[in-house]
Amino acid sequence: MVQLPAIKARGCRTDSSTVSWRARRLVLVALAMVGVIVPVPGLSAEAAVGGTRPVPPEALGALSAGVAGVQAGGTRWVSAYDGWAEAGTELIAATDDQAAAAAEVADLTTLRVQVEARKAEAAAARAQAESDLEVAQQHLARVAVLSFVDAGTTSQTPDVTAIVDADRQRRVVLGETVANTAVLAVRQAKATRDESARIERQAAAELEDVTRRVRDAQRRHDDAATLVTRWTTTRSDRQVKLVAEAPGATVGSSDLEIIALDAYRRSVASSGCSLSWTVVAGVGRVESRHGHAGGASVAANGDVSPAIYGVPLDGSGGNLAITDTDGGLLDGDAELDRAVGPMQFIPSTWQRWATDGNGDRRADPQNLYDATAAAARYLCAGSGGDPSEEGVRAGVFSYNHSEAYVDRVLSYSASYASLGLG
């Protein structure tokens, strides 16, 4: 309990003693479920420890970036984390599948264009060969007719027979040469036509196969795209739960929650002195079990609910009698003062040290961020800015004039320092 100098008010604070792809994807998901870190978007590889999971940047919400990576535990947190990690793993797998299918579609589309060009080229060659064949066949037919007509000529007179025979012989030789050439042209045209037709058929079959493969790859791409959309939405929904669970997750196996760690760290960062956050945490542990006295809980913005009030300071039980100083505004008691909030400020002390610790432009002693920020300032003032053990003890003693109280706070402080969180 924060008190005025020289006021001994042991028992005024609220304390626990006084207030009741399929195979690979399945493997990755299984690993995530048992706590082995898997590659998820936005999270570096960091091994989970036992029943804890590291706080990823995506879970911060209003929390400070400094708590990212802290190992946190708790059934609800681990469940939320594993669900979110599973969605991330599935999203990666679906994204990989989509990218692979898209690349395959692109490659097959290029191949299909090439096969179509080869088929068209073969079709054009076949059409030209058919045209050449028709011309060659017509030419061969004419040569045959001329040879037949020439061979049947018998109108020569006896006195010119020798001359005619010689001329005929030359024409026969020439005709045979022409005929052979015509036959060869027909054969070549047929061969070209047949080969072009074979290439065209082959290209047509290959085109049909490539077209089928393009359809299959496109279907895989579309299925993967559907999964990407589904897992993106699922991951986003699960991230909302992850953000909601992060503040209440416990720091390792300690009794600190992530939100309390964040509040204590922020309190000393804003205090302007070299006080360790663990000292503020020690005070918070003794005063209200980090905002949980009386079954209270701490919201994501630091608000404590239900509000925490100490006993009426009526002079009984070893407490001083302090009549009302705030008209009941802070402590709900218009006759006597009560210590208020998770750091158990007396109303008059709060009026002096009130601090906005969470940036909402209001200072509320029932808000963990505000209360710890005010407490850090108070402790710094009490220590005179001296970071030595003597200075720290003086600061804590100013908070509650009891050496037993100081020892208890510093004992908790030491245990939090052993967490190695800096």
Side-chain angles (χ1 to χ4, degrees):
M1 179 188 75
V2 177
Q3 58 186 37
L4 297 176
I7 295 180
K8 182 178 180 181
R10 294 179 61 188
C12 294
R13 46 189 169 72
T14 306
D15 186 83
S16 59
S17 61
T18 58
V19 182
S20 35
W21 301 276
R22 318 300 182 245
R24 177 175 70 88
R25 186 180 310 174
L26 290 175
V27 170
L28 290 173
V29 171
L31 290 174
M33 296 301 289
V34 299
V36 177
I37 200 69
V38 293
V40 292
L43 178 63
S44 61
E46 181 175 3
V49 177
T52 65
R53 305 290 186 271
V55 177
E58 292 87 345
L60 292 177
L63 295 170
S64 302
V67 300
V70 172
Q71 292 288 340
T75 302
R76 293 168 61 91
W77 164 252
V78 169
S79 175
Y81 179 93
D82 288 348
W84 172 78
E86 177 198 24
T89 300
E90 292 287 359
L91 178 57
I92 288 176
T95 301
D96 288 347
D97 289 347
Q98 182 183 19
E104 186 176 1
V105 168
D107 291 343
L108 289 173
T109 299
T110 299
L111 178 59
R112 182 170 61 183
V113 171
Q114 295 171 347
V115 174
E116 286 174 341
R118 188 162 68 250
K119 180 176 178 291
E121 183 180 355
R126 176 183 54 77
Q128 182 61 51
E130 288 175 347
S131 176
D132 294 344
L133 176 60
E134 183 179 357
V135 171
Q137 287 175 333
Q138 291 174 354
H139 180 58
L140 180 59
R142 286 195 299 272
V143 169
V145 170
L146 289 175
S147 297
F148 177 78
V149 171
D150 189 52
T153 301
T154 58
S155 60
Q156 291 85 354
T157 59
D159 54 345
V160 296
T161 297
I163 298 173
V164 171
D165 286 344
D167 181 62
R168 179 178 296 164
Q169 185 62 35
R170 287 193 298 272
R171 282 188 291 168
V172 167
V173 173
L174 180 61
E176 289 177 351
T177 301
V178 172
N180 289 337
T181 302
V183 170
L184 181 60
V186 169
R187 289 176 178 173
Q188 290 176 337
K190 284 183 177 181
T192 301
R193 179 200 62 187
D194 293 345
E195 177 63 13
S196 297
R198 184 191 67 78
I199 295 174
E200 185 179 7
R201 288 192 301 273
Q202 184 183 52
E206 187 176 352
L207 181 60
E208 182 178 354
D209 178 66
V210 172
T211 300
R212 176 188 59 76
R213 291 165 62 191
V214 168
R215 287 197 303 268
D216 291 346
Q218 186 63 55
R219 183 170 57 253
R220 289 194 299 274
H221 174 274
D222 295 343
D223 290 345
T226 298
L227 287 176
V228 167
T229 300
R230 179 186 306 168
W231 283 111
T232 297
T233 300
T234 300
R235 186 169 186 266
S236 179
D237 292 342
R238 292 181 181 180
Q239 183 176 340
V240 171
K241 184 177 181 181
L242 190 73
V243 171
E245 296 296 339
T250 57
V251 179
S253 59
S254 73
D255 61 358
L256 278 173
E257 291 181 343
I258 291 293
I259 192 169
L261 173 64
D262 188 40
Y264 296 138
R265 281 179 165 179
R266 286 168 63 168
S267 72
V268 297
S270 65
S271 68
C273 77
S274 57
L275 181 72
S276 171
W277 68 267
T278 64
V279 176
V280 186
V283 173
R285 173 61 177 81
V286 172
E287 296 293 352
S288 69
R289 289 185 291 113
H290 313 301
H292 291 287
S297 60
V298 183
N301 68 343
D303 285 344
V304 174
S305 178
I308 299 174
Y309 299 108
V311 297
L313 299 180
D314 58 3
S316 64
N319 296 318
L320 290 178
I322 303 179
T323 57
D324 176 65
T325 61
D326 67 333
L329 179 64
L330 296 177
D331 58 13
D333 191 332
E335 295 182 4
L336 298 170
D337 269 351
R338 297 169 179 251
V340 296
M343 302 304 281
Q344 289 290 275
F345 275 93
I346 293 173
S348 59
T349 310
W350 175 257
Q351 291 168 3
R352 177 181 177 186
W353 296 98
T355 307
D356 173 16
N358 61 358
D360 64 357
R361 299 183 179 181
R362 54 189 292 266
D364 182 358
Q366 300 288 354
N367 179 280
L368 187 62
Y369 285 106
D370 295 350
T372 54
R377 291 178 57 215
Y378 189 99
L379 290 166
C380 285
S383 68
D386 181 3
S388 69
E389 181 179 353
E390 292 75 11
V392 171
R393 290 190 67 87
V396 177
F397 186 81
S398 73
Y399 210 89
N400 190 322
H401 294 175
S402 164
E403 291 296 339
Y405 175 87
V406 174
D407 290 340
R408 193 176 179 199
V409 166
L410 295 184
S411 175
Y412 280 119
S413 176
S415 70
Y416 298 136
S418 69
L419 295 173
L421 298 176

